[in-house]
Amino acid sequence: MLRFFLLAAVALVGAESARAQHAARNSQLHALFAEEWERGLREIPENASYQGDNRYNDRWTDLSLEAIARREAADKAALDKLRTIDRAALSPADQMNYDTFEWQLQRTVARQGFREYLQPIGHQGGPQTADGLAEVLPFASIKDYRDWLKRLEALPTVIDQTITLLGEGVKAGNVPPRVLMQRVPAQIAAQVINDPTKSPFYRPFIRFADSIPTTERAGLQEQAKQIILARVVPAYRKLGEFFESQYLPKTRDGIAVTDLPNGRAYYDFLAGYYTTTDLNAEQIHKIGLEEVARIRAEMEKIKTETGFKGSLTEFFTYLRTDPQFFHKTPDALLTAYRALSKRIDPELVKVFKTIPRMPYGVRPIPDNIAPDTTTAYYQPGASDGTRPGYYYVNLYKPEVRPTWEMMPLSLHEAVPGHHFQFARGLEMPDAPMFRRTAYFVAYGEGWGLYAEQLGYEMGLYTDPYDRMGQLAYEMWRAVRLVVDTGMHSQGWSRERAIEYFTDNAPKTRQDIVNEIDRYIGTPGQALAYKIGQMRISALRAKAVRELGPKFDLRAFNDAVLETGSVPLEALERHIDAWIESEQTGSGEAGAVPGSNR
């Protein structure tokens, strides 16, 4: 008996020691997560502002070559530090955290070799659109306004650093396509004004929150006017002159990313990075061609259902041009988007058990970027809950914004698409911040496209034109697989890509040209949507097949979102575990940090 108690005591001590080591490993890992999160906020202050962290609202990211080198060295050091932690000794939840963090860091370090910082200006963003940051700032205190004034004071430094990077890009032959950069001079010119109150940077000073004393307002306005005229406008004038006379003539004639130094390896990297798979360009192109053919057949059925007598090409022209499909004014279009969102909201309980707590709103895309940007986008809420999510809609030229696209667009960008995905991620209370705010494109955009299709279960596609809109949006993402790989790996011209898009989808030419230019400017990113959606849909089909009558769509959708944004391989492992738990009735899917399951 004594020997039994001694053995038991030894086993107990051993178990306690193992638990202590386990806790120490977990603590070491989370300390690294917290350290890197803070470094990211400190070194990229704009990201801190987007997260609702206002500590760095008085500064911009340091774009000097020295600061870039320091950040790259710190990324490598973080990866080395992560690998000193014994993954096998971690809890299942922290193994997922470890794997996700390692995936991100490995690719952050790998892409350093492509020197992306040498192209600091794109046709959809750069210092010429820096005023857009004000959209997410609180402007609820005098300090908020003074922080913005400090940022305005510092803009000339940012622009000088940008000019240096542009010059280095020219030396290295790392420059963007001219067809995109021809859009940029007008964007820069919009910042060069004579009346400071017309500057986009002045917008926060037009209307003050009630919390700002009236005695302070005139002084803040006067400071803003002086800084804009003395600092901001001259800096943008300098950028404009440099851009048009020295940079634009040196941009490249070709559109393929493979024209860049080491460009083919770069495109292979981007395809893997965005899709989180090992699919190559040729495989993705083939998948795209197959999906385009499948969806065209479905479109033919819808065309027949509407009673339209012409060809599918003629039907597309009808959808693009008939006045019944368009609102006449920007205000009418915005009102319609807001009403549509309210129509969607009460139907969400049909396909989800868990509704995120964070609200969302609908806003117009700012006028100064609307002509060159996409149909809509989503801006996540602040990580501390102090700012809701926003669904931004493009009101530029309402005559090219058809009503039949509004339902799938809203399901994708707002609810239950990106808003659910980001808001649910923030509601993982035990997960590290990098997991709560993560954005893997294949998961996030795959979910958005999958969410468009949930409109059927929600009873929202009530007529054939709505259903045509859903197919048009799915076709849009299938076409991307073909034209992105076509332009960047198979020698397609911009005109051929536009023609292929036009032949296979009813989106208007304004959108099609903007989309093709987006794929030229951000190669590989557009591949993630359809690949991600197909993987999520395949997981759903697998769950239906293996669970039979036990399958619950609401529970499946919750299970997809409860991981937060992860690489597709991690999502597949999680859903496999969820299926097993549903089969056994255990109700536990496994390692999900912060899960409410």
Side-chain angles (χ1 to χ4, degrees), residues 89-273:
L90 299 170
S91 67
D94 275 333
Q95 286 180 350
M96 177 180 275
N97 288 332
Y98 182 105
D99 292 344
T100 305
F101 196 63
E102 182 182 45
W103 195 99
Q104 290 178 317
L105 276 176
Q106 282 176 331
R107 283 149 186 83
T108 297
V109 170
R111 72 190 305 168
Q112 290 177 6
F114 302 114
R115 303 181 75 192
E116 293 170 314
Y117 58 83
L118 294 181
Q119 293 190 33
I121 288 183
H123 75 290
Q124 290 186 306
Q128 77 276 21
T129 60
D131 58 279
L133 185 61
E135 291 275 322
V136 302
L137 299 176
F139 293 109
S141 69
I142 293 175
K143 183 180 185 301
D144 293 334
Y145 281 91
R146 289 177 177 158
D147 283 345
W148 186 240
L149 292 172
K150 288 179 182 177
R151 268 184 163 148
L152 299 190
E153 285 272 14
L155 262 173
T157 299
V158 174
I159 288 173
D160 284 344
Q161 291 173 339
T162 299
I163 290 172
T164 297
L165 294 177
L166 292 172
E168 291 295 315
V170 169
K171 292 177 189 175
N174 192 336
V175 292
R178 187 170 305 118
V179 69
L180 303 185
M181 293 301 98
Q182 287 169 344
R183 292 175 177 246
V184 173
Q187 298 170 358
I188 299 173
Q191 303 288 3
V192 181
I193 44 80
N194 294 319
D195 180 354
T197 66
K198 303 299 183 186
S199 168
F201 289 100
Y202 189 79
R203 286 181 191 140
F205 301 92
I206 295 173
R207 292 187 186 88
F208 288 90
D210 292 341
S211 55
I212 306 301
T214 55
T215 55
E216 298 283 348
R217 298 179 185 183
L220 292 170
Q221 289 174 326
E222 189 58 33
Q223 289 180 66
K225 293 174 189 176
Q226 291 177 4
I227 294 170
I228 289 169
L229 284 180
R231 303 275 296 167
V232 174
V233 171
Y236 280 109
R237 184 177 291 113
K238 177 181 179 180
L239 176 62
E241 291 170 355
F242 172 85
F243 193 91
E244 292 200 61
S245 66
Q246 298 184 51
Y247 188 71
L248 189 58
K250 301 293 179 60
T251 54
R252 54 191 165 94
D253 295 326
I255 60 170
V257 72
T258 48
D259 294 341
L260 293 176
N262 204 21
R264 187 160 296 280
Y266 184 34
Y267 189 62
D268 289 342
F269 169 83
L270 292 171
Y273 173 77

Side-chain angles (χ1 to χ4, degrees), residues 219-515:
L220 292 170
Q221 289 174 326
E222 189 58 33
Q223 289 180 66
K225 293 174 189 176
Q226 291 177 4
I227 294 170
I228 289 169
L229 284 180
R231 303 275 296 167
V232 174
V233 171
Y236 280 109
R237 184 177 291 113
K238 177 181 179 180
L239 176 62
E241 291 170 355
F242 172 85
F243 193 91
E244 292 200 61
S245 66
Q246 298 184 51
Y247 188 71
L248 189 58
K250 301 293 179 60
T251 54
R252 54 191 165 94
D253 295 326
I255 60 170
V257 72
T258 48
D259 294 341
L260 293 176
N262 204 21
R264 187 160 296 280
Y266 184 34
Y267 189 62
D268 289 342
F269 169 83
L270 292 171
Y273 173 77
Y274 285 120
T275 67
T276 68
T277 70
D278 58 2
L279 293 169
N280 62 38
E282 185 176 346
Q283 291 170 315
I284 292 171
H285 192 82
K286 182 173 182 292
I287 291 169
L289 291 172
E290 292 170 350
E291 281 294 282
V292 167
R294 179 187 66 79
I295 298 166
R296 276 189 73 95
E298 294 298 318
M299 287 177 159
E300 289 281 3
K301 295 176 185 177
I302 296 291
K303 175 178 72 76
T304 300
E305 184 182 346
T306 66
F308 189 86
K309 301 302 182 184
S311 67
L312 190 59
T313 297
E314 290 168 331
F315 189 48
F316 288 169
T317 300
Y318 169 67
L319 292 171
R320 290 183 188 119
T321 59
D322 195 283
Q324 70 173 306
F325 299 123
F326 300 90
H327 290 281
K328 290 183 171 56
T329 67
D331 285 345
L333 182 56
L334 180 59
T335 298
Y337 270 119
R338 287 174 170 163
L340 187 62
S341 296
K342 291 300 180 186
R343 179 182 162 201
I344 294 170
D345 287 347
E347 308 303 327
L348 295 166
V349 294
K350 294 179 179 178
V351 288
F352 295 92
K353 291 183 176 181
T354 305
I355 306 296
R357 294 183 294 274
M358 178 176 281
Y360 75 100
V362 183
R363 283 180 168 177
I365 291 174
D367 293 341
N368 61 316
I369 63 171
D372 300 312
T373 197
T374 54
T375 315
Y377 56 79
Y378 174 74
Q379 174 60 57
S383 56
D384 63 356
T386 56
R387 185 187 70 248
Y390 281 106
Y391 168 32
Y392 281 85
V393 294
N394 201 327
L395 307 182
Y396 175 71
K397 288 190 176 180
E399 66 273 16
V400 301
R401 312 289 173 192
T403 55
W404 46 257
E405 75 176 359
M406 293 171 66
M407 180 60 76
L409 180 63
S410 299
L411 291 169
H412 181 114
E413 298 294 346
V415 292
H418 289 323
H419 181 68
F420 263 42
Q421 169 220 324
F422 280 100
R424 283 292 307 276
L426 290 174
E427 291 175 11
M428 300 192 302
D430 300 326
M433 281 302 297
F434 88 92
R435 285 291 315 284
R436 293 171 63 194
T437 59
Y439 177 64
F440 290 88
V441 183
Y443 174 97
E445 299 299 345
W447 171 260
L449 182 50
Y450 170 81
E452 294 174 24
Q453 299 170 4
L454 290 176
Y456 289 105
E457 283 88 5
M458 296 165 70
L460 294 169
Y461 292 121
T462 54
D463 67 49
Y465 293 111
D466 285 337
R467 295 195 294 279
M468 188 65 189
Q470 183 274 312
L471 286 174
Y473 265 49
E474 188 176 8
M475 177 65 91
W476 173 20
R477 281 43 171 260
V479 164
R480 285 174 169 178
L481 302 183
V482 179
V483 298
D484 195 292
T485 53
M487 290 188 294
H488 292 297
S489 72
Q490 298 193 13
W492 282 33
S493 68
R494 178 173 178 262
E495 290 70 28
R496 181 179 176 184
I498 291 171
E499 181 181 359
Y500 184 86
F501 200 144
T502 304
D503 288 345
N504 287 288
K507 285 186 75 66
T508 59
R509 183 171 177 84
Q510 170 86 21
D511 276 351
I512 288 173
V513 171
N514 277 349
E515 283 295 315

